[in-house]
């Protein structure tokens, strides 16, 4: 079964990586796809976000890293995906994700693409890309000790964040 794990991954966090690793155990093939949305202004380019994902997940043989733009279900159809994977951290996530899942189901009715959820590992459920960006901004612009970020992102992402905000 091919599973698609889509996201902005701006940047990828240890929470995302945990979901991808666990997803790869269920899937025969897991495609981790960066949403390259021209309407949003991301901190990192799609190319950079792909490279961070390669660094973190490239060693897993059934994981592929890719990017897409436009409608998620169109990309999913093109890749012959059986299910879309999303991670949920909180009841708020479940509510939002359920809405997207119904919408995607509506759009993919003939192809029957399902959405499946994996719950966040408790120790990582506080992490989001936006919190990472916020913490990095304060740490690097004020020259504070950056040990907090160790628990949130990979060394290559931490390095890139230090370059952006220093
Ligand atoms: P979006 O795709 O909504 O822009 P992200 O790129 O941040 O959001 O996240 C992609 C997916 O990973 C979403 O399903 C999100 O809920 C999930 N996710 C984000 N952070 C974590 C975490 N710490 N633990 C588990 N899942 C997470």
């Amino acid at each position: 079964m091919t599973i698609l794990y889509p996201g902005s991954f701006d940047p990828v966090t240890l929470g995302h990586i945990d979901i991808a690793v666990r997803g790869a155990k269920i899937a025969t093939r897991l495609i981790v796809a960066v949403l390259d949305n021209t309407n949003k202004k991301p901190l990192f380019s799609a190319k950079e976000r792909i490279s961070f994902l390669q660094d973190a997940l490239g060693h897993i043989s059934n994981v592929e890293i890719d990017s897409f733009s436009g409608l998620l279900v169109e990309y999913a159809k093109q890749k012959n995906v059986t299910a879309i994977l999303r991670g949920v951290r909180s009841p708020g996530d479940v509510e939002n994700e359920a809405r997207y899942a119904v919408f995607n189901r509506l759009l993919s009715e003939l192809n029957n693409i399902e959405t499946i959820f994996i719950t966040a590992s408790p120790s990582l459920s506080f992490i989001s890309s936006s919190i990472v960006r916020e913490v990095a901004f304060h740490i690097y612009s004020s020259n504070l000790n950056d040990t907090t970020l160790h628990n949130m992102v990979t060394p290559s992402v931490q390095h890139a964040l230090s370059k952006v905000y220093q």
Side-chain angles (χ1 to χ4, degrees), residues 50-147:
I50 287 171
S51 137
F52 301 144
L53 283 163
Q54 284 286 7
D55 260 11
L57 299 165
H59 64 284
I60 305 174
S61 61
N62 64 336
V63 173
E64 278 170 46
I65 315 293
D66 195 12
S67 68
F68 72 102
S69 55
L71 265 186
L72 175 64
V73 288
E74 288 304 317
Y75 173 72
K77 279 184 217 167
Q78 190 192 315
K79 290 283 178 183
N80 259 320
V81 158
T82 304
I84 293 165
L85 168 64
R86 299 289 285 173
V88 288
R89 290 160 288 192
S90 62
D93 267 359
V94 174
E95 201 176 319
N96 286 330
E97 295 292 345
R99 252 186 233 122
Y100 279 117
V102 171
F103 174 64
N104 285 332
R105 175 127 183 94
L106 211 68
L107 289 176
S108 72
E109 201 105 59
L110 296 174
N111 300 72
N112 284 325
I113 298 169
E114 303 289 352
T115 301
I116 58 174
F117 301 106
I118 293 184
T119 48
S121 292
S123 64
L124 302 171
S125 63
F126 71 100
I127 307 174
S128 67
S129 296
S130 58
I131 285 181
V132 163
R133 294 194 300 268
E134 180 95 14
V135 169
F137 166 76
H138 290 289
I139 283 176
Y140 295 117
S141 57
S142 313
N143 255 326
L144 302 174
N145 190 320
D146 64 357
T147 47

Side-chain angles (χ1 to χ4, degrees), residues 41-54:
K41 205 153 172 25
L43 181 63
F44 294 105
S45 68
K47 208 172 149 197
E48 288 170 306
R49 287 179 275 154
I50 287 171
S51 137
F52 301 144
L53 283 163
Q54 284 286 7

